[in-house]
Amino acid sequence: HCHLFLMYVPDPVCCVCPGVRRLCEESSCCGKVGTTGFDFFDRHRRPIMLFMALLAVVSTALSVVPVVSTSTKRSVVMNSFWTQGKIHSENTMFFVGLKAVVVDDGDSVVSYEWDSSECSNVDSGNRGFCDKCKDACDATFKVVIVNLITSIPTIMTDLKRSTREGDMNCQKFMAILTGIVSTLTTLSSLSLFLDGCFRHLPDSTTAGNTVSYSLGPGFICLLIPQIIKPLDVIVNIMTPVACVDKDGDDIDFLLDNRLLAD
């Protein structure tokens, strides 16, 4: 029953629409991508792809944290911050979120949205801190949403490819393409955030007090999936796709064909 469930995970768009199917599933490009792989991965596709699906679920769960960090609520920002700053000798800490920054001086907790004119108070009257961080956070905000949305099809693809009967050329092709594009785009955004809201922040206040910084759960929970995605891409490349005969009636597999040919 589990086997049937995995087999009947919904097909991707590239396999449902007839016109799109000819361009994708039945194209020579997807066919060549589909034939790439090793016998070992074909023989053990079920445990391998189910393990990758599990990692994809973990990746999706982690991707929720950066989305939550888009809130302007103080408690949420303080628990899902991207950068934390500590002003030594003043017992003051500030937490950078994608939409706001929260300052805790030990006696009171104040939050400033990036668009607020009061945000300059965080940098001792200098708008530089707010402007640089705001630009970095605005760019990262879009990537955070896209990262979560694209992580769900990854789970479906890994489940679908765990069975030989359910495997398809365009699924493998799209898994590789979206995995590479998504990873590179997200890493670029993370680098932009580091430049605007971490590496180039002032290391001291106007009063001369030292300021130290650390990355928070929002950043880390978006970084970890970018380590998992390349692994998923590699596994998809290594796992060959099922072969369908010209009439589309019988389904064989690359491994079986090789064994028969020998």
Side-chain angles (χ1 to χ4, degrees):
H1 297 294
C2 180
H3 181 80
L4 291 175
F5 167 76
L6 295 175
M7 178 180 172
Y8 289 107
V9 170
D11 291 337
V13 176
C14 58
C15 296
V16 176
C17 302
V20 179
R21 183 183 179 89
R22 284 194 297 272
L23 293 174
C24 298
E25 177 63 18
E26 300 170 3
S27 69
S28 59
C29 178
C30 283
K32 290 177 180 178
V33 172
T35 58
T36 304
F38 296 94
D39 293 348
F40 174 84
F41 285 85
D42 186 31
R43 289 196 303 268
H44 302 89
R45 70 168 58 236
R46 181 169 179 135
I48 291 175
M49 297 310 299
L50 287 180
F51 176 70
M52 295 311 304
L54 176 61
L55 288 182
V57 171
V58 173
S59 179
T60 302
L62 291 173
S63 297
V64 173
V65 177
V67 174
V68 171
S69 69
T70 61
S71 172
T72 56
K73 189 176 181 179
R74 295 177 187 176
S75 59
V76 176
V77 174
M78 294 176 74
N79 286 292
S80 62
F81 63 90
W82 282 61
T83 301
Q84 182 186 67
K86 182 177 182 180
I87 303 177
H88 299 276
S89 303
E90 290 186 12
N91 194 32
T92 298
M93 301 181 71
F94 58 89
F95 306 84
V96 176
L98 292 184
K99 287 295 184 180
V101 56
V102 176
V103 180
D104 181 0
D105 63 6
D107 296 323
S108 61
V109 179
V110 183
S111 63
Y112 307 96
E113 294 188 23
W114 289 121
D115 293 330
S116 171
S117 59
E118 296 178 325
C119 184
S120 59
N121 294 336
V122 179
D123 194 26
S124 301
N126 190 330
R127 284 288 308 177
F129 172 85
C130 287
D131 292 339
K132 291 178 181 178
C133 264
K134 179 183 181 299
D135 291 341
C137 288
D138 284 345
T140 306
F141 171 78
K142 300 174 184 177
V143 174
V144 162
I145 303 299
V146 173
N147 176 73
L148 178 60
I149 294 174
T150 57
S151 65
I152 298 175
T154 301
I155 300 173
M156 307 300 287
T157 297
D158 290 340
L159 289 175
K160 189 78 172 178
R161 297 205 65 207
S162 67
T163 66
R164 290 175 170 177
E165 295 85 348
D167 204 0
M168 296 182 179
N169 288 326
C170 84
Q171 282 193 141
K172 177 175 180 176
F173 180 81
M174 292 305 296
I176 296 171
L177 180 62
T178 57
I180 293 174
V181 173
S182 176
T183 301
L184 292 178
T185 302
T186 306
L187 288 177
S188 175
S189 180
L190 288 175
S191 177
L192 179 63
F193 178 85
L194 287 175
D195 287 338
C197 286
F198 185 71
R199 293 195 187 105
H200 300 147
L201 296 181
D203 54 10
S204 63
T205 65
T206 53
N209 295 318
T210 303
V211 184
S212 61
Y213 303 94
S214 61
L215 295 171
F219 181 92
I220 295 172
C221 287
L222 186 59
L223 177 62
I224 294 176
Q226 311 323 308
I227 300 174
I228 296 175
K229 286 179 183 179
L231 178 60
D232 189 80
V233 170
I234 293 173
V235 170
N236 273 284
I237 292 174
M238 297 299 185
T239 306
V241 180
C243 289
V244 182
D245 69 6
K246 63 180 180 180
D247 296 321
D249 295 328
D250 300 320
I251 298 179
D252 286 323
F253 296 91
L254 299 177
L255 176 60
D256 296 332
N257 290 337
R258 294 191 192 104
L259 291 176
L260 289 173
D262 292 339

